[in-house]
Amino acid sequence: MDNGLHFTFCVITTMLLLRESSQTGKKNDPKMRAASKSEEGLPTLTVTTILEDPYVMVRSAELEGYCIDLLKALAAMLHFSYKVKVVGDGQYGAVSSNGNWTGMIGEILRQEADIAVAPLTVTSAREEVVSFTTPFLQTGIGILLRKDTVSQEMSFFHFLAPFSKETWTGLLFAYVLTCFCLFLVARLSPCEWNEPKNEENHFTFLNSLWFGAGALALQGVTPRPKALSVRVIAAVWWLFTIALLAAYIANFTALLSSGSEQLPIQTFEDLVKQRKLEFGTLDGSSTFYFFKNSKNPIHQMIYEYMDKRRDHVLVKTYQEAVQRVMESNYAFIGESISQDLAAARHCNLIRAPEVIGARGFGIATTQASLWTKKLSIAVLKLRESGDLDYLRNKWWETSCLHKSRDRWSPLQPQALGGLFLTLAIGLALGVVAAVVELSNKSRHAAGHVKKSCCSVFTEEMCTRLRIKENTRQSQETSGRANA
């Protein structure tokens, strides 16, 4: 009897040890890595997801990432526990040749999972078989490139790129206006031109243009101003040119080091027209079906290209796509938000400016599930409280962000608004000073000739502004007298 009890005890102990060993082996299996949170008395949801940086990643045999943090926040808000498992086939979800759904969508349809929390795009085809919550991330379709595969030679007029067309137009207008004010003030000021009938004015309009150009080149040129009014305008113009040259040199240096202006592939049309790069997307992804169903001729050309070469240009995973872009002449078409992260973490990658097909990532549930509305409301609350923005900043922030995604743009007139305003005030002060100088001389001359100050001021003004006509008339009068 004792031997029988002892034998039974040994058998039970052995079975328990084997069961524990089996469970431990499953936990250590990389394919079965999962994060779970179970509490007694709470409903438990089975969550399917996919490994994609930074949404879901394996760190020290644990799952972490944007979607894991989002899941924790939703569980705390809606009071449920969960078990997370990675999708078995590594797919997002598409209809296979036999009509069945693959990936996370297929697992939900087969009731292998209750919900899918992953970068899963909301599409009409998926919406027909499962339900989606309010999107927790907005994205689009972009083009990921390697910088050295798309660089091009600088244009012949590359030196004009630091300033925008509007800025160059404003600078030209400021230069002409300043030179005209120099010419006008030099004629009006008696300190610069005391005897209009006998003295030659060195500040002609051409000389004024040359004086302004010399200041732009930081060179002192003649004629040298003598009157206070002319010196005010000259000093303000010198200040303007020094600040302008500093801004030009700084922006030109940033232009040369940035390289963002050397991107010939700006749009999907540019991608179709070139022949240097191959391009593709994830096989069976929503991006592929977007181009398949699009009526846009450019999009149709992209789909036909990828469909004919699908074995060569379509990739299986996002990591494979990034690696292929880095190692070959390949452009990857995919989610712009994921491409931004790749460009931030790999400093030799860049995303083209155009983004099409605005879309969102949502949480997939079974149709008619009671959790769909609850999860949608919870996502909206997280967005309103700023928690979604916090998670975005947390998982998209990298040390390479400031290096690889420096955005360079031509300097706009608004950036030099204060400088233009200073120049305008200086020109106004110079003209006012010239008028005051001429008024003082007119007042003294009116006392000698016993005329009103206004009449003398008007005569002086007309004499200085019509000097060529008066000189010609005086020459004709002297000629007749000699005859």
Side-chain angles (χ1 to χ4, degrees):
M1 184 69 177
D2 292 338
N3 292 335
L5 291 174
H6 180 71
F7 176 77
T8 304
F9 177 77
C10 291
V11 171
I12 294 175
T13 303
T14 303
M15 292 178 62
L16 291 175
L17 290 175
L18 290 174
R19 181 180 179 184
E20 181 178 356
S21 176
S22 176
Q23 290 178 348
T24 303
K26 288 182 178 180
K27 290 180 180 179
N28 293 331
D29 187 354
K31 296 182 180 180
M32 298 299 295
R33 283 171 177 162
S36 63
K37 177 183 178 183
S38 300
E39 296 182 12
E40 295 183 1
L42 296 179
T44 301
L45 299 180
T46 301
V47 181
T48 181
T49 189
I50 192 170
L51 293 179
E52 182 176 330
D53 189 5
Y55 303 99
V56 180
M57 301 170 290
V58 179
R59 298 285 172 84
S60 302
E62 296 291 337
L63 294 180
E64 64 175 29
Y66 178 94
C67 289
I68 301 301
D69 286 353
L70 174 63
L71 185 58
K72 291 179 181 178
L74 293 174
M77 185 178 296
L78 299 179
H79 305 290
F80 65 85
S81 60
Y82 56 85
K83 294 185 297 183
V84 181
K85 70 184 192 69
V86 178
V87 61
D89 58 5
Q91 300 293 320
Y92 289 87
V95 181
S96 61
S97 56
N98 57 12
N100 296 324
W101 280 83
T102 63
M104 292 176 283
I105 301 298
E107 290 191 351
I108 292 179
L109 293 177
R110 293 189 297 270
Q111 297 184 355
E112 297 174 7
D114 298 310
I115 63 175
V117 182
L120 190 61
T121 306
V122 180
T123 65
S124 58
R126 292 171 178 171
E127 189 75 52
E128 289 180 354
V129 294
V130 298
S131 296
F132 280 97
T133 64
T134 301
F136 56 85
L137 266 181
Q138 298 293 336
T139 183
I141 300 176
I143 308 171
L144 184 66
L145 310 157
R146 196 174 76 248
K147 289 182 179 179
D148 57 356
T149 61
V150 294
S151 60
Q152 63 179 5
E153 296 182 358
M154 296 181 180
S155 63
F156 189 73
F157 295 99
H158 194 67
F159 67 93
L160 297 176
F163 292 160
S164 64
K165 295 179 181 179
E166 295 79 7
T167 303
W168 284 116
T169 303
L171 294 179
L172 179 62
F173 178 76
Y175 167 70
V176 174
L177 179 62
T178 301
C179 294
F180 176 76
C181 289
L182 276 173
F183 165 74
L184 178 64
V185 169
R187 280 182 169 269
L188 293 180
S189 175
C191 300
E192 190 70 40
W193 196 23
N194 192 26
E195 296 295 336
K197 295 182 180 180
N198 304 321
E199 186 180 356
E200 181 182 359
N201 186 352
H202 297 289
F203 268 99
T204 62
F205 187 66
L206 290 179
N207 285 345
S208 299
L209 291 174
W210 181 244
F211 183 90
L216 281 173
L218 299 180
Q219 298 294 322
V221 295
T222 55
R224 300 185 182 278
K226 297 179 290 184
L228 175 63
S229 55
V230 181
R231 289 179 177 180
V232 168
I233 293 180
V236 173
W237 178 244
W238 289 335
L239 175 63
F240 179 85
T241 54
I242 291 174
L244 178 68
L245 290 174
Y248 178 86
I249 293 173
N251 214 34
F252 192 65
T253 303
L255 166 66
L256 294 178
S257 61
S258 172
S260 62
E261 78 296 341
Q262 302 176 29
L263 192 63
I265 299 178
Q266 301 281 337
T267 64
F268 284 87
E269 184 175 359
D270 297 334
L271 184 64
V272 172
K273 291 180 179 179
Q274 59 82 39
R275 293 294 180 266
K276 183 179 180 181
L277 299 178
E278 296 179 323
F279 53 89
T281 186
L282 289 175
D283 189 11
S285 65
S286 60
T287 301
F288 180 81
Y289 289 100
F290 170 84
F291 288 101
K292 180 179 180 180
N293 299 325
S294 175
K295 303 300 181 182
N296 187 303
I298 299 298
H299 299 172
Q300 280 294 310
M301 293 174 64
I302 293 176
Y303 167 72
E304 292 173 2
Y305 174 91
M306 295 189 298
D307 189 50
K308 291 179 181 178
R309 302 166 178 84
R310 59 186 311 137
D311 294 335
H312 183 59
V313 299
L314 297 184
V315 294
K316 299 298 182 182
T317 64
Y318 181 79
Q319 289 75 14
E320 178 187 349
V322 174
Q323 195 68 23
R324 187 168 177 179
V325 172
M326 295 176 62
E327 296 178 352
S328 62
N329 292 338
Y330 181 77
F332 173 61
I333 302 175
E335 302 292 346
S336 60
I337 192 170
S338 300
Q339 292 177 348
D340 287 338
L341 179 68
R345 295 190 175 177
H346 304 281
C347 300
N348 61 334
L349 299 183
I350 190 171
R351 179 175 62 80
E354 186 181 34
V355 176
I356 62 174
R359 54 182 65 186
F361 292 153
I363 300 174
T365 67
T366 57
Q367 287 187 334
S369 173
L370 299 177
W371 289 100
T372 307
K373 186 174 182 179
K374 294 180 180 180
L375 290 170
S376 294
I377 296 175
V379 168
L380 290 175
K381 289 182 178 179
L382 291 175
R383 179 179 300 168
E384 293 168 356
S385 63
D387 290 340
L388 292 183
D389 293 333
Y390 167 76
L391 291 179
R392 167 68 188 270
N393 296 333
K394 173 184 176 181
W395 291 103
W396 266 255
E397 182 180 4
T398 66
S399 58
C400 191
L401 184 59
H402 66 282
K403 298 178 182 177
S404 63
R405 297 303 292 172
D406 288 340
R407 292 290 187 178
W408 177 91
S409 60
L411 203 61
Q412 299 296 326
Q414 295 82 353
L416 301 175
L419 197 58
F420 281 104
L421 179 61
T422 302
L423 178 63
I425 294 175
L427 296 181
L429 289 176
V431 174
V432 171
V435 173
V436 171
E437 292 171 351
L438 185 60
S439 299
N440 290 335
K441 181 183 179 182
S442 300
R443 186 172 62 254
H444 292 302
H448 292 293
V449 299
K450 296 182 179 181
K451 290 183 178 180
S452 66
C453 182
C454 292
S455 61
V456 174
F457 179 81
T458 303
E459 291 176 2
E460 284 283 346
M461 184 79 73
C462 294
T463 302
R464 292 173 184 277
L465 295 180
R466 301 175 182 176
I467 184 65
K468 292 184 178 180
E469 180 181 351
N470 292 340
T471 302
R472 186 172 64 254
Q473 290 177 354
S474 62
Q475 289 176 351
E476 292 176 356
T477 303
S478 60
R480 290 172 184 174
N482 293 334

